Amino acid sequence: MEDEMFDQIVSVFHNLVSWVAAGAMVFGGVVPYIPQYRDIRRTQNAEGFSTYVCLVLLVANILRILFRFGRYFETLLLWQSIIMIATMLIMLNLCTNVRMAAELNTKRRSFIATDNKDEEIRILKRLFLDFDWSYFWLWSRFLDYMQCVLAFTLMSAYITYLFLESTLFVETLGFLAVFTEAMLGTPQLYCNYQNKSTEGMSIKMVLMWTSGDTFKTGYFLLTQAPVQFWICGLLQVLVDFTILFQVYYYSRYPQKPVSHTVSHTTSAKAL
């Protein structure tokens, strides 16, 4: 009787841990963007957030979903990609609206200063269908970002359909998906190296990335996910720890005088 009760308790605990781990895998990747979203809405200023973060994560997760058609992986990872895509689209929508509102206000103040109140205030619209590469991913409407994402998805899906029987193509597709995401920390790593300083970088955020990437990589290994997943997960952890080492090294051995102005340099991944 006692053995049966103990087995039931262990079973309940195991299920609880499994659900918590699953929730962390699905939603853990989007948590760092919640305070960023709230901060942009509160300040109505999106200058500190690079929308190229959204570009990289959209590409990575679209490719990951397509990879599943050629190589099965756990459904939780599929939901993780879907939720991340939705999150990045929400961030893009907010940033586009805030940026355009800021441009309109700047234009309005300029008109008031030059006493051109009777003239219509116009903002040059940058559209995806203009195919102007100088304004790539700097468009004026959220609709243009959606058009770009849809075009990329359809083109990638068609190519995947054509080469789905090729093992080399499928494995390369999976590698590109996770490798793209794994490279999110490298801009900050390179920026710190160039500046010989980590001033202005949030150490708390780096610690959050490190713990999240370590958990994710361990999950990949335990669930025997495709080799591309855990190799690139290990690469992410390596980049995170290298950034933490930079924090230690540049604080212990300063390479230049500490600036008295607050630096606003942030990495793609930090935001």
Side-chain angles (χ1 to χ4, degrees):
M1 184 70 178
E2 291 181 357
D3 290 340
E4 291 181 2
M5 183 175 296
F6 178 77
D7 290 339
Q8 290 179 353
I9 293 174
V10 170
S11 178
V12 170
F13 180 76
H14 180 268
N15 291 334
L16 179 62
V17 171
S18 298
W19 277 102
V20 171
M25 279 300 301
V26 173
F27 297 103
V30 306
V31 169
Y33 299 98
I34 295 175
Q36 184 68 56
Y37 180 90
R38 296 179 64 183
D39 188 53
I40 293 174
R41 287 202 63 175
R42 178 176 56 83
T43 62
Q44 288 298 296
N45 186 349
E47 291 182 3
F49 179 75
S50 172
T51 54
Y52 286 101
V53 175
C54 303
L55 173 62
V56 171
L57 287 174
L58 283 169
V59 170
N61 285 281
I62 289 170
L63 293 180
R64 182 195 286 186
I65 291 174
L66 294 176
F67 173 59
R68 194 174 191 266
F69 287 96
R71 175 82 178 274
Y72 178 83
F73 56 80
E74 199 171 3
T75 305
L76 282 177
L77 300 180
L78 175 64
W79 278 108
Q80 181 191 55
S81 292
I82 293 172
I83 291 173
M84 181 61 75
I85 289 172
T87 302
M88 291 301 102
L89 291 176
I90 291 171
M91 290 296 296
L92 273 176
N93 185 37
L94 175 65
C95 291
T96 304
N97 292 336
V98 169
R99 188 179 73 247
M100 294 310 298
E103 288 185 17
L104 182 61
N105 289 334
T106 301
K107 198 82 171 180
R108 186 179 290 117
R109 286 195 297 268
S110 176
F111 268 60
I112 293 174
T114 55
D115 207 19
N116 292 328
K117 300 177 183 178
D118 296 331
E119 295 185 27
E120 184 181 357
I121 301 176
R122 294 181 180 179
I123 297 178
L124 178 64
K125 289 189 176 181
R126 302 179 291 271
L127 307 179
F128 168 68
L129 294 179
D130 291 339
F131 299 111
D132 187 345
W133 286 101
S134 61
Y135 293 116
F136 178 76
W137 212 249
L138 296 171
W139 301 304
S140 303
R141 306 175 306 172
F142 175 65
L143 176 62
D144 294 286
Y145 292 96
M146 288 295 297
Q147 290 173 344
C148 180
V149 171
L150 182 60
F152 174 79
T153 303
L154 291 176
M155 181 182 67
S156 301
Y158 181 68
I159 294 174
T160 302
Y161 172 76
L162 292 178
F163 296 97
L164 194 59
E165 300 301 322
S166 170
T167 303
L168 177 62
F169 173 81
V170 171
E171 296 300 326
T172 302
L173 181 66
F175 177 77
L176 286 176
V178 290
F179 183 75
T180 302
E181 185 176 355
M183 289 294 100
L184 275 177
T186 54
Q188 183 66 61
L189 184 69
Y190 183 68
C191 180
N192 293 342
Y193 174 76
Q194 277 193 318
N195 295 333
K196 304 299 184 203
S197 171
T198 58
E199 183 183 4
M201 185 188 69
S202 172
I203 300 176
K204 291 180 180 179
M205 287 299 296
V206 178
L207 291 172
M208 186 181 294
W209 308 332
T210 307
S211 59
D213 291 338
T214 302
F215 172 81
K216 179 174 64 177
T217 304
Y219 185 87
F220 289 157
L221 290 169
L222 290 174
T223 57
Q224 297 182 339
V227 65
Q228 296 95 330
F229 283 68
W230 60 263
I231 286 180
C232 288
L234 290 173
L235 180 59
Q236 281 183 286
V237 174
L238 176 62
V239 172
D240 294 339
F241 275 104
T242 304
I243 294 175
L244 288 175
F245 175 75
Q246 286 181 321
V247 174
Y248 165 78
Y249 183 82
Y250 290 134
S251 62
R252 189 173 180 84
Y253 306 103
Q255 304 295 304
K256 66 178 183 179
V258 177
S259 172
H260 293 289
T261 59
V262 178
S263 171
H264 296 285
T265 304
T266 50
S267 73
K269 187 176 179 183
L271 301 172

